[in-house]
Amino acid sequence: MASLKFDDNKVPYLDLGKGYRIALENTEFTDAKSKEKAARELRETPEVVEKSMAELRTLLQAEKTLYIPMEDDPFMIKFLRPCKYYAQSAFELIQRYYRFRMKHPDLCDELYPASAKHVYAEGLVHFLPLRDQHGSRILVLECGKKWKPSIVSLNDLFRAVQIALEAGMYEPRTQLNGAVVILDMEGLALSQIMQFTPKFAAMVLDWIQQCVAMRLKSVHIVNNSYLFNMLFAIFKPFITEKLRKRLFFHQKDWSSLMTHIDAKCLRPKYGGTLECLETDGALLGEMFELYHKEYELANSFGYLRKKD
């Protein structure tokens, strides 16, 4: 069985056996290869970082109703990296991110792991233990037969995805290398499709395409059947050309999936060679809960709301 452990630095991780583990990697990268990639792809040099940080702080100081930790460099870099250190772009991303949270309190208020532990326990949202060959985090969403709307509402599922991506957004290596999503639709039923509305689809895609401080490298839909086409039709009108180019539909063609993700990073059920214990969803939820203070702090930021 998978188990929740702590390393020598008291950082929690899921032990999946055979040396595989899942942990949040919040330490800054220092290796030459990553630094070279950051400079090449993100314009990340000491001079650009210093200049962009100063420009972003100036822009934020004028946004009087927005409360965020402007003096916290890691927080600022979280938004600067996906914007390639263009301060104006990072400022607009911060605005969109926190306006979204203010506009959708039912989906974003008190976004603590404890509120979504039942979602993780169902095994619907989890990371794979290895990053892909480009260093990207691999997030798996199993929204087919595993998802029981009577147990996990659509809103709760979305909240759990936000919590998982929030964790990734704080990882320097994920800020640099981005994330890859595998959307497993095996066993999708009509009753599940009926949970979705065009309004919800538009909201989710607005969040993905405009608000997430993450380099979304690709989304891979697997085990998709003709029923999935009905679901996709709800989302299709709201997909931008940029995201459209990063969507890949594989059905059960694992060789197609492996043209994008190395076999060693994928479990056998996706055609890969990654042999280790399955992620225990309940334990993953517990691991996230150990970061409650960090989520509590993150939830304290945002636009100041007018009191009734």
Side-chain angles (χ1 to χ4, degrees):
M1 289 177 61
S3 56
L4 180 60
K5 297 181 178 179
F6 295 84
D7 67 14
D8 294 339
N9 296 314
K10 297 184 179 179
V11 174
Y13 67 93
L14 288 191
D15 185 350
L16 303 182
K18 299 183 180 179
Y20 293 104
R21 61 173 61 184
I22 295 173
L24 302 186
E25 303 166 359
N26 293 333
T27 54
E28 190 60 59
F29 51 80
T30 56
D31 59 292
K33 185 178 178 181
S34 294
K35 286 193 167 188
E36 186 277 328
K37 183 176 182 180
R40 173 168 39 87
E41 294 190 8
L42 307 182
R43 307 188 313 130
E44 187 171 312
T45 63
E47 298 77 20
V48 170
V49 171
E50 184 179 2
K51 180 173 180 288
S52 299
M53 202 87 79
E55 290 177 359
L56 181 55
R57 286 193 173 108
T58 299
L59 290 166
L60 287 168
Q61 282 165 359
E63 193 79 347
K64 300 296 185 183
T65 60
L66 179 60
Y67 169 68
I68 57 171
M70 283 185 282
E71 301 309 312
D72 181 31
D73 286 359
F75 177 89
M76 302 286 275
I77 287 173
K78 178 180 80 167
F79 289 97
L80 281 163
R81 276 184 173 140
C83 295
K84 300 182 180 180
Y85 283 92
Y86 290 105
Q88 183 66 39
S89 296
F91 174 60
E92 291 169 3
L93 175 58
I94 290 171
Q95 286 180 312
R96 292 194 300 270
Y97 179 78
Y98 286 107
R99 283 173 181 164
F100 180 91
R101 291 179 68 100
M102 184 169 63
K103 184 180 178 181
H104 301 284
D106 56 323
L107 298 170
C108 303
D109 278 5
E110 299 185 359
L111 207 55
Y112 305 131
S115 71
K117 62 183 179 182
H118 62 299
V119 184
Y120 297 116
E122 293 293 308
L124 305 180
V125 181
H126 55 89
F127 294 128
L128 290 183
L130 295 182
R131 294 175 178 270
D132 77 0
Q133 66 272 25
H134 305 296
S136 303
R137 264 287 185 202
I138 304 176
L139 176 68
V140 180
L141 306 179
E142 298 193 48
C143 299
K145 62 185 179 184
K146 274 192 175 183
W147 176 34
K148 301 175 183 66
S150 60
I151 297 174
V152 174
S153 71
L154 188 57
N155 281 7
D156 282 351
L157 179 57
F158 181 60
R159 287 173 65 89
V161 171
Q162 286 185 83
I163 289 165
L165 279 184
E166 188 75 32
M169 282 161 54
Y170 270 98
E171 295 183 303
R173 287 195 180 277
T174 306
Q175 293 166 6
L176 171 62
N177 300 308
V180 167
V181 176
I182 296 176
L183 191 56
D184 188 343
M185 306 308 297
E186 184 179 10
L188 180 71
L190 190 59
S191 59
Q192 293 164 323
I193 295 171
M194 298 299 289
Q195 305 296 314
F196 292 87
T197 63
K199 183 180 179 181
F200 184 88
M203 179 275 297
V204 168
L205 285 170
D206 177 52
W207 177 72
I208 292 170
Q209 296 172 146
Q210 300 295 329
C211 305
V212 176
M214 178 81 74
R215 304 181 76 194
L216 181 60
K217 309 301 286 187
S218 56
V219 178
H220 301 273
I221 295 100
V222 301
N223 291 316
N224 47 305
S225 65
Y226 73 95
L227 271 179
F228 175 79
N229 296 335
M230 296 172 61
L231 177 60
F232 187 66
I234 302 172
F235 285 82
K236 193 173 182 180
F238 310 107
I239 300 174
T240 62
E241 185 62 25
K242 181 179 179 181
L243 180 57
R244 198 180 302 272
K245 290 178 179 177
R246 298 179 185 187
L247 286 176
F248 300 93
F249 303 88
H250 303 287
Q251 295 180 319
K252 295 182 183 294
D253 186 347
W254 307 134
S255 61
S256 171
L257 178 61
M258 285 184 289
T259 61
H260 299 272
I261 304 173
D262 274 359
K264 68 180 182 182
C265 307
L266 294 168
R267 294 189 180 279
K269 68 177 181 178
Y270 299 130
T273 58
L274 176 60
E275 294 275 6
C276 65
L277 295 170
E278 287 286 340
T279 304
D280 184 310
L283 288 180
L284 180 65
E286 281 185 39
M287 188 182 84
F288 282 149
E289 284 190 67
L290 293 170
Y291 290 90
H292 177 79
K293 286 185 179 179
E294 287 81 355
Y295 280 99
E296 194 171 45
L297 184 62
N299 276 274
S300 71
F301 306 142
Y303 280 98
L304 303 175
R305 296 178 187 176
K306 294 179 182 178
K307 294 182 179 179
D308 296 330

PDB file of all heavy atoms in Angstrom, residues 77 79 85 108 112 118 130 167 180 182 199 222 232 262:
ATOM      1  N   ILE A  77       7.229  36.000  -8.498  1.00  0.00           N
ATOM      2  CA  ILE A  77       7.803  35.176  -9.572  1.00  0.00           C
ATOM      3  C   ILE A  77       6.791  34.161 -10.087  1.00  0.00           C
ATOM      4  O   ILE A  77       6.782  33.819 -11.271  1.00  0.00           O
ATOM      5  CB  ILE A  77       9.094  34.488  -9.072  1.00  0.00           C
ATOM      6  CG1 ILE A  77      10.215  35.540  -8.959  1.00  0.00           C
ATOM      7  CG2 ILE A  77       9.524  33.354 -10.003  1.00  0.00           C
ATOM      8  CD1 ILE A  77      11.484  35.034  -8.316  1.00  0.00           C
ATOM      9  N   PHE A  79       3.821  34.606 -10.794  1.00  0.00           N
ATOM     10  CA  PHE A  79       3.058  35.233 -11.876  1.00  0.00           C
ATOM     11  C   PHE A  79       3.960  35.752 -13.000  1.00  0.00           C
ATOM     12  O   PHE A  79       3.513  35.848 -14.150  1.00  0.00           O
ATOM     13  CB  PHE A  79       2.207  36.378 -11.326  1.00  0.00           C
ATOM     14  CG  PHE A  79       1.047  35.921 -10.485  1.00  0.00           C
ATOM     15  CD1 PHE A  79       1.139  35.887  -9.103  1.00  0.00           C
ATOM     16  CD2 PHE A  79      -0.136  35.493 -11.083  1.00  0.00           C
ATOM     17  CE1 PHE A  79       0.075  35.442  -8.327  1.00  0.00           C
ATOM     18  CE2 PHE A  79      -1.212  35.054 -10.319  1.00  0.00           C
ATOM     19  CZ  PHE A  79      -1.107  35.024  -8.936  1.00  0.00           C
ATOM     20  N   TYR A  85       8.330  37.258 -17.747  1.00  0.00           N
ATOM     21  CA  TYR A  85       8.876  38.446 -17.079  1.00  0.00           C
ATOM     22  C   TYR A  85       8.480  39.761 -17.740  1.00  0.00           C
ATOM     23  O   TYR A  85       9.166  40.776 -17.589  1.00  0.00           O
ATOM     24  CB  TYR A  85      10.398  38.343 -16.924  1.00  0.00           C
ATOM     25  CG  TYR A  85      10.751  37.404 -15.789  1.00  0.00           C
ATOM     26  CD1 TYR A  85      10.973  36.044 -16.032  1.00  0.00           C
ATOM     27  CD2 TYR A  85      10.813  37.840 -14.474  1.00  0.00           C
ATOM     28  CE1 TYR A  85      11.260  35.159 -14.997  1.00  0.00           C
ATOM     29  CE2 TYR A  85      11.097  36.969 -13.431  1.00  0.00           C
ATOM     30  CZ  TYR A  85      11.312  35.637 -13.698  1.00  0.00           C
ATOM     31  OH  TYR A  85      11.583  34.761 -12.664  1.00  0.00           O
ATOM     32  N   CYS A 108     -14.395  29.495  -5.137  1.00  0.00           N
ATOM     33  CA  CYS A 108     -13.045  29.922  -4.778  1.00  0.00           C
ATOM     34  C   CYS A 108     -12.843  30.316  -3.319  1.00  0.00           C
ATOM     35  O   CYS A 108     -11.707  30.366  -2.854  1.00  0.00           O
ATOM     36  CB  CYS A 108     -12.623  31.099  -5.664  1.00  0.00           C
ATOM     37  SG  CYS A 108     -12.682  30.744  -7.438  1.00  0.00           S
ATOM     38  N   TYR A 112      -9.567  25.319   0.738  1.00  0.00           N
ATOM     39  CA  TYR A 112      -8.657  24.539   1.566  1.00  0.00           C
ATOM     40  C   TYR A 112      -8.739  23.059   1.163  1.00  0.00           C
ATOM     41  O   TYR A 112      -9.828  22.563   0.821  1.00  0.00           O
ATOM     42  CB  TYR A 112      -9.029  24.670   3.043  1.00  0.00           C
ATOM     43  CG  TYR A 112      -9.100  26.090   3.533  1.00  0.00           C
ATOM     44  CD1 TYR A 112     -10.203  26.534   4.269  1.00  0.00           C
ATOM     45  CD2 TYR A 112      -8.075  27.003   3.275  1.00  0.00           C
ATOM     46  CE1 TYR A 112     -10.274  27.837   4.737  1.00  0.00           C
ATOM     47  CE2 TYR A 112      -8.145  28.310   3.734  1.00  0.00           C
ATOM     48  CZ  TYR A 112      -9.239  28.723   4.451  1.00  0.00           C
ATOM     49  OH  TYR A 112      -9.325  30.018   4.904  1.00  0.00           O
ATOM     50  N   HIS A 118     -12.865  14.631   0.044  1.00  0.00           N
ATOM     51  CA  HIS A 118     -13.711  13.551  -0.492  1.00  0.00           C
ATOM     52  C   HIS A 118     -13.483  13.382  -2.000  1.00  0.00           C
ATOM     53  O   HIS A 118     -13.640  12.276  -2.527  1.00  0.00           O
ATOM     54  CB  HIS A 118     -15.181  13.831  -0.204  1.00  0.00           C
ATOM     55  CG  HIS A 118     -15.723  15.072  -0.834  1.00  0.00           C
ATOM     56  ND1 HIS A 118     -15.236  16.330  -0.550  1.00  0.00           N
ATOM     57  CD2 HIS A 118     -16.723  15.256  -1.750  1.00  0.00           C
ATOM     58  CE1 HIS A 118     -15.905  17.219  -1.261  1.00  0.00           C
ATOM     59  NE2 HIS A 118     -16.809  16.605  -1.985  1.00  0.00           N
ATOM     60  N   LEU A 130       6.363  10.833 -11.713  1.00  0.00           N
ATOM     61  CA  LEU A 130       7.453  11.380 -12.525  1.00  0.00           C
ATOM     62  C   LEU A 130       6.973  12.556 -13.371  1.00  0.00           C
ATOM     63  O   LEU A 130       5.838  12.564 -13.860  1.00  0.00           O
ATOM     64  CB  LEU A 130       8.023  10.305 -13.459  1.00  0.00           C
ATOM     65  CG  LEU A 130       8.729   9.109 -12.812  1.00  0.00           C
ATOM     66  CD1 LEU A 130       9.262   8.180 -13.897  1.00  0.00           C
ATOM     67  CD2 LEU A 130       9.858   9.557 -11.886  1.00  0.00           C
ATOM     68  N   ALA A 167      -1.081  24.120  -5.947  1.00  0.00           N
ATOM     69  CA  ALA A 167       0.146  23.502  -5.444  1.00  0.00           C
ATOM     70  C   ALA A 167       1.235  23.534  -6.520  1.00  0.00           C
ATOM     71  O   ALA A 167       2.391  23.888  -6.247  1.00  0.00           O
ATOM     72  CB  ALA A 167      -0.133  22.061  -5.008  1.00  0.00           C
ATOM     73  N   VAL A 180       1.261  19.174 -17.808  1.00  0.00           N
ATOM     74  CA  VAL A 180       0.575  18.379 -18.822  1.00  0.00           C
ATOM     75  C   VAL A 180      -0.620  17.729 -18.122  1.00  0.00           C
ATOM     76  O   VAL A 180      -0.490  17.230 -16.997  1.00  0.00           O
ATOM     77  CB  VAL A 180       1.515  17.297 -19.392  1.00  0.00           C
ATOM     78  CG1 VAL A 180       0.744  16.272 -20.193  1.00  0.00           C
ATOM     79  CG2 VAL A 180       2.612  17.927 -20.237  1.00  0.00           C
ATOM     80  N   ILE A 182      -3.670  14.842 -18.314  1.00  0.00           N
ATOM     81  CA  ILE A 182      -4.281  13.672 -18.947  1.00  0.00           C
ATOM     82  C   ILE A 182      -5.718  13.602 -18.450  1.00  0.00           C
ATOM     83  O   ILE A 182      -5.971  13.495 -17.248  1.00  0.00           O
ATOM     84  CB  ILE A 182      -3.534  12.374 -18.601  1.00  0.00           C
ATOM     85  CG1 ILE A 182      -2.109  12.405 -19.170  1.00  0.00           C
ATOM     86  CG2 ILE A 182      -4.292  11.157 -19.145  1.00  0.00           C
ATOM     87  CD1 ILE A 182      -1.262  11.202 -18.787  1.00  0.00           C
ATOM     88  N   LYS A 199     -22.756  27.627 -19.519  1.00  0.00           N
ATOM     89  CA  LYS A 199     -22.261  28.642 -18.579  1.00  0.00           C
ATOM     90  C   LYS A 199     -21.067  28.118 -17.785  1.00  0.00           C
ATOM     91  O   LYS A 199     -20.059  28.825 -17.601  1.00  0.00           O
ATOM     92  CB  LYS A 199     -23.393  29.059 -17.630  1.00  0.00           C
ATOM     93  CG  LYS A 199     -22.998  30.155 -16.655  1.00  0.00           C
ATOM     94  CD  LYS A 199     -24.169  30.513 -15.739  1.00  0.00           C
ATOM     95  CE  LYS A 199     -23.758  31.600 -14.730  1.00  0.00           C
ATOM     96  NZ  LYS A 199     -24.879  31.939 -13.818  1.00  0.00           N
ATOM     97  N   VAL A 222      -7.939  10.811 -23.168  1.00  0.00           N
ATOM     98  CA  VAL A 222      -7.817   9.379 -23.455  1.00  0.00           C
ATOM     99  C   VAL A 222      -9.117   8.673 -23.095  1.00  0.00           C
ATOM    100  O   VAL A 222      -9.921   9.176 -22.320  1.00  0.00           O
ATOM    101  CB  VAL A 222      -6.632   8.744 -22.694  1.00  0.00           C
ATOM    102  CG1 VAL A 222      -5.316   9.419 -23.080  1.00  0.00           C
ATOM    103  CG2 VAL A 222      -6.830   8.802 -21.182  1.00  0.00           C
ATOM    104  N   PHE A 232     -17.781  17.459 -25.331  1.00  0.00           N
ATOM    105  CA  PHE A 232     -16.844  18.403 -25.957  1.00  0.00           C
ATOM    106  C   PHE A 232     -17.589  19.499 -26.714  1.00  0.00           C
ATOM    107  O   PHE A 232     -17.128  20.643 -26.782  1.00  0.00           O
ATOM    108  CB  PHE A 232     -15.894  17.653 -26.890  1.00  0.00           C
ATOM    109  CG  PHE A 232     -14.797  18.518 -27.458  1.00  0.00           C
ATOM    110  CD1 PHE A 232     -13.821  19.052 -26.630  1.00  0.00           C
ATOM    111  CD2 PHE A 232     -14.750  18.800 -28.815  1.00  0.00           C
ATOM    112  CE1 PHE A 232     -12.811  19.859 -27.151  1.00  0.00           C
ATOM    113  CE2 PHE A 232     -13.747  19.607 -29.339  1.00  0.00           C
ATOM    114  CZ  PHE A 232     -12.774  20.131 -28.502  1.00  0.00           C
ATOM    115  N   ASP A 262       6.882  10.395 -22.572  1.00  0.00           N
ATOM    116  CA  ASP A 262       7.710   9.187 -22.533  1.00  0.00           C
ATOM    117  C   ASP A 262       7.004   8.047 -21.800  1.00  0.00           C
ATOM    118  O   ASP A 262       6.339   8.270 -20.783  1.00  0.00           O
ATOM    119  CB  ASP A 262       9.037   9.475 -21.826  1.00  0.00           C
ATOM    120  CG  ASP A 262      10.089  10.039 -22.774  1.00  0.00           C
ATOM    121  OD1 ASP A 262       9.791  10.192 -23.975  1.00  0.00           O
ATOM    122  OD2 ASP A 262      11.211  10.324 -22.303  1.00  0.00           O
TER     123      ASP A 262
END
